[in-house]
Amino acid sequence: MSEEVAPVVVVAIEISDSALADRLASLLGGVTGIRLATPGEAAAVALVSREAQAVLQPDDIELTPRERDVLVLMAEGASNKAIARQLGISVHTAKFHVGSLLDKLDATGRTDAVAHAARRGVIHL
């Protein structure tokens, strides 16, 4: 009889107080079933400091309706080609919208953009 292995939960620590962040990393690092996210990696859970984070409303980020459409498709894992086909635009235009989203959301990549948008309430996953 094989024993079921529980999935690993990836946790990101986004706290400006380095002593507190190190303490949390030390505590969580030894917990079975939890893995700390590497820098830039998407995480299932993020620990953030309330004091360090400004509360952003979805209105704080000005996205066009087309950018919102592209963002939703990005969240579903669609490639630029799939986004273009779905929205009836060229691949070049889809790539332009993705680049614009990365800039507006101050993201390092597609996954990071989706994570930032979800945390800010721009999209709901």
Side-chain angles (χ1 to χ4, degrees):
M1 181 188 254
S2 66
E3 186 176 314
E4 279 191 42
V5 178
V8 174
V9 176
V10 179
V11 177
I13 299 174
E14 300 174 7
I15 299 175
S16 59
D17 180 344
S18 61
L20 179 58
D22 289 345
R23 187 168 173 216
L24 285 168
S26 171
L27 291 169
L28 293 173
V31 177
T32 303
I34 292 180
R35 182 176 63 79
L36 297 177
T38 59
E41 179 184 13
V45 176
L47 301 176
V48 296
S49 172
R50 286 185 181 181
E51 295 82 32
Q53 297 290 322
V55 177
L56 297 175
Q57 300 300 320
D59 295 337
D60 291 343
I61 302 170
E62 295 291 327
L63 299 181
T64 66
R66 180 61 83 191
E67 286 172 335
R68 288 183 187 278
D69 294 340
V70 170
L71 185 59
V72 168
L73 292 170
M74 283 173 52
E76 294 174 1
S79 65
N80 289 347
K81 188 174 182 178
I83 291 169
R85 189 177 18 228
Q86 181 79 19
L87 299 178
I89 58 177
S90 72
V91 174
H92 176 76
T93 301
K95 186 176 179 179
F96 174 81
H97 287 307
V98 170
S100 178
L101 285 165
L102 296 181
D103 288 342
K104 287 182 178 184
L105 294 167
D106 194 27
T108 58
R110 297 166 79 95
T111 303
D112 193 36
V114 171
H116 283 306
R119 276 195 295 270
R120 292 176 173 179
V122 175
I123 60 171
H124 301 286
L125 301 177

